[in-house]
Amino acid sequence: MRFVADFIGALREAGLQVSPAESLDALKAIKLLGLESRQTSKTVLALTLVKRQADQVIYEELFDLYFAGVGKTKASNKELNKGSNKEADKSESESSDNPLETKNNPHSSQADMSDGEGMQTSPSSSLGQALGKNKDMSLAITQAAIDEKLSSIVLFTQKNYFAYKIMQRLGDEALSAEIRSQANSLEHKNSLEHKRKQRELVKARARLLDQVKDYVEQQYGIFAQHKGLKYREEYLQQAKLSQLDRIDYKLMQRLVQRAARKLASQHSRKRLTRKRGQLDVRKTIAANAAFDGALFHTRWKATRIERPKIVAICDVSGSVSRVARFLLLFLYSMQDVMPKVRSFIFASEMIEVTELFKQQGIELALEEIMKRWGGLSTDYGKALAGFQSQALAGIDKKTTVIMLGDARNNQGDGRTDIWEKVFRQSKRVLWLNPEQRNSWDSGDSIMSEYSPWCSSVEPCRNLKDIERIFSRLLKHS
């Protein structure tokens, strides 16, 4: 049952939602049917643990990995039991060959001077004796892995650590000491037979180490492959967008779109709840007139849904361009709840890119924007003058203006008079700054000149910040 419980844990780490009740059902089914038939076990566990078609691929992948190891263990267990029965008539000293006793007595030195397999003198360590008799170490490796909690492995860098700990648990310390001792002994130096035995022991240890590493690799694939991705995603959600490596862009885009869909879904549910509004007494009485006043049906006053009207202005110069990329991606991934979005980008010239997003799609449009206008020097004054001519007339008291920029104007005129007009004409103005607060107003930053004409000025450095800001925006829209 422990095998099945660990398998369920691996499925959960891979993202499958398995409830305690489903786990109990799976354990009861396996208790009744056993694990002898691989296909039966696979079918029964799938019926009890997999609910979505999309999870079937992950389930089959993990089942093949996991139960391949179980099959080997069961086979080696039977082999070991057969061997134990045959040796039942032998002396008690010979029965100590069981490798599982290694952890309790790693320095056992009952050498069998007439052992088979071509060796005239057996090694003194228990592990050496087991290797000398070509014992199958699969069961011992599995037991050692359980004792070392290999299922807790998270990172690929831990593979060598666990391989080392499992070898130590098997008795490698005593075996290595024995090999070193043989190499330094005078008898060994003068005897060809001792040298041959020592080489065989070294080779047997190397084969065991390879077997342990293979086992760790297999368990890593079962327990850590999806866990590692989960940790990576958690890291990226809090990583600075301005310092994000390009190789993480695709994963980050998926995280941004997932967070946006989640937020849009939450907000849609809230709207459905609020959509009922107040009880319409007149219509309710009219609807139940046929029931002598008993209220079987209720009628509610519909509430008018005002979708937020957004104007996004993004600085795409320098390091701000990376944050702008993901902010725009987040914004356009929420089209279900934010359909009225106008987007502008600027370095020195203000350019509306709303139509570009509609024509090319968000990802292709972002690539083109960053290629054509990203990384240029900034001129907030010139850009705001362009915004005034293009869009200021369309801003009204239903409009929320979101500015993303570091307010670094290269010592130029920031044209705060235009920003003041934007503030006075709009519903609210949010300024998102990708820098830390203690960097604002340092060098050529003029953040304090714009701040009085903003409803809110906030740092926006990672995905969590973007999610928090838009969650609050939707809540109060």
Side-chain angles (χ1 to χ4, degrees):
M1 291 304 104
R2 187 193 67 246
F3 285 119
V4 181
D6 287 346
F7 177 63
I8 293 171
L11 290 176
R12 285 178 174 149
E13 292 293 346
L16 271 69
Q17 295 178 355
V18 182
S19 69
E22 290 165 344
S23 303
L24 290 174
D25 288 343
L27 290 170
K28 286 177 183 174
I30 293 298
K31 191 175 181 181
L32 287 172
L33 299 173
L35 291 168
E36 282 72 20
S37 171
R38 179 187 174 89
Q39 189 55 43
T40 302
S41 303
K42 188 174 183 178
T43 304
V44 166
L45 289 175
L47 288 172
T48 52
L49 300 175
V50 182
K51 296 187 288 289
R52 299 181 302 177
Q53 188 65 32
D55 294 336
Q56 188 67 30
V57 175
I58 299 174
Y59 168 79
E60 291 187 0
E61 178 190 343
L62 284 179
F63 184 92
D64 292 340
L65 277 172
Y66 191 80
F67 281 84
V70 172
K72 287 180 183 176
T73 303
K74 288 169 69 66
S76 65
N77 196 13
K78 289 180 181 177
E79 187 76 19
L80 190 63
N81 289 334
K82 283 182 183 178
S84 298
N85 292 334
K86 288 180 181 177
E87 292 176 359
D89 297 333
K90 293 184 179 180
S91 64
E92 186 177 352
S93 60
E94 290 175 332
S95 66
S96 64
D97 289 333
N98 187 345
L100 288 176
E101 294 179 5
T102 302
K103 61 179 179 180
N104 299 322
N105 187 17
H107 296 285
S108 173
S109 60
Q110 298 296 324
D112 182 357
M113 302 300 291
S114 61
D115 194 20
E117 305 295 332
M119 295 184 70
Q120 293 182 357
T121 58
S122 295
S124 60
S125 65
S126 296
L127 181 58
Q129 290 174 21
L131 294 177
K133 290 185 175 183
N134 292 326
K135 291 282 187 184
D136 188 342
M137 299 296 291
S138 299
L139 184 60
I141 292 172
T142 303
Q143 185 60 49
I146 292 170
D147 293 340
E148 293 295 338
K149 297 182 173 52
L150 178 58
S151 59
S152 66
I153 188 170
V154 176
L155 304 171
F156 73 93
T157 52
Q158 292 177 292
K159 287 191 279 189
N160 284 338
Y161 166 78
F162 276 105
Y164 169 78
K165 295 296 287 184
I166 291 171
M167 287 294 288
Q168 293 296 300
R169 180 74 65 168
L170 291 171
D172 184 57
E173 185 178 356
L175 177 61
S176 298
E178 181 183 354
I179 292 172
R180 288 194 299 272
S181 174
Q182 285 182 359
N184 295 328
S185 69
L186 184 61
E187 184 182 11
H188 170 82
K189 291 178 180 176
N190 295 330
S191 170
L192 292 176
E193 183 63 18
H194 276 81
K195 287 183 179 179
R196 187 180 68 80
K197 294 299 177 188
Q198 195 246 356
R199 284 198 298 272
E200 288 179 357
L201 201 55
V202 170
K203 288 180 181 177
R205 180 186 175 279
R207 287 195 296 273
L208 177 64
L209 181 59
D210 288 341
Q211 188 179 355
V212 169
K213 285 183 175 178
D214 289 345
Y215 182 78
V216 171
E217 183 71 36
Q218 181 204 44
Q219 297 297 299
Y220 174 78
I222 295 170
F223 292 105
Q225 191 173 5
H226 299 281
K227 205 186 294 181
L229 180 61
K230 182 180 171 185
Y231 277 89
R232 185 69 184 162
E233 289 178 353
E234 288 178 359
Y235 163 75
L236 286 178
Q237 285 176 343
Q238 301 183 38
K240 291 180 183 176
L241 294 173
S242 59
Q243 297 179 2
L244 205 64
D245 199 286
R246 197 168 185 82
I247 61 173
D248 291 322
Y249 274 18
K250 284 193 174 179
L251 179 56
M252 195 65 197
Q253 284 182 358
R254 287 202 299 272
L255 292 176
V256 167
Q257 289 170 327
R258 188 196 303 169
R261 285 196 299 270
K262 180 183 172 185
L263 192 59
S265 174
Q266 289 175 348
H267 187 71
S268 297
R269 282 201 295 271
K270 288 178 183 175
R271 282 197 180 281
L272 285 173
T273 305
R274 284 185 292 176
K275 191 177 177 181
R276 280 186 164 185
Q278 295 180 334
L279 182 69
D280 189 327
V281 177
R282 186 179 61 80
K283 290 185 179 178
T284 299
I285 292 174
N288 294 280
F291 307 109
D292 293 333
L295 302 180
F296 286 100
H297 305 295
T298 54
R299 295 291 183 268
W300 303 87
K301 291 180 180 176
T303 53
R304 186 177 178 182
I305 299 174
E306 291 289 349
R307 301 243 181 224
K309 187 176 173 184
I310 304 288
V311 172
I313 309 169
C314 294
D315 179 357
V316 293
S317 65
S319 60
V320 187
S321 63
R322 298 184 183 182
V323 186
R325 168 191 289 269
F326 295 110
L327 179 76
L328 288 170
L329 182 61
F330 194 96
L331 198 58
Y332 276 85
S333 299
M334 299 180 67
Q335 287 292 296
D336 291 341
V337 290
M338 286 187 176
K340 301 176 183 176
V341 178
R342 288 185 71 184
S343 300
F344 296 83
I345 56 100
F346 72 94
S348 57
E349 300 285 343
M350 185 67 71
I351 299 162
E352 182 168 6
V353 290
T354 310
E355 290 302 318
L356 185 65
F357 284 130
K358 289 179 182 176
Q359 292 168 4
Q360 297 193 7
I362 182 67
E363 294 182 11
L364 288 176
L366 283 172
E367 290 297 328
E368 184 172 340
I369 288 169
M370 297 307 160
K371 186 177 178 182
R372 292 177 61 181
W373 297 291
L376 301 175
S377 61
T378 316
D379 187 339
Y380 274 74
K382 188 175 178 182
L384 287 177
F387 182 76
Q388 182 179 27
S389 62
Q390 294 179 52
L392 188 61
I395 292 178
D396 54 28
K397 287 298 180 183
K398 296 178 183 177
T399 307
T400 296
V401 179
I402 302 174
M403 165 69 89
L404 175 70
D406 56 8
R408 294 194 176 276
N409 197 35
N410 297 318
Q411 312 298 337
D413 180 4
R415 294 299 306 269
T416 52
D417 58 314
I418 299 176
W419 196 242
E420 180 184 352
K421 291 179 185 175
V422 172
F423 174 73
R424 294 191 183 283
Q425 287 185 213
S426 63
K427 180 181 180 181
R428 72 168 72 88
V429 171
L430 303 181
W431 190 298
L432 311 181
N433 195 319
E435 295 185 345
Q436 298 180 31
R437 286 184 186 274
N438 55 20
S439 299
W440 298 357
D441 295 322
S442 64
D444 58 351
S445 172
I446 52 173
M447 193 66 248
S448 61
E449 295 183 21
Y450 293 118
S451 298
W453 313 115
C454 297
S455 309
S456 176
V457 183
E458 300 186 42
C460 178
R461 308 176 65 201
N462 53 43
L463 178 57
K464 287 287 184 187
D465 286 342
I466 295 177
E467 199 173 344
R468 172 178 50 79
I469 291 163
F470 278 94
S471 176
R472 196 168 62 245
L473 178 66
L474 288 172
K475 188 176 179 181
H476 298 292
S477 64

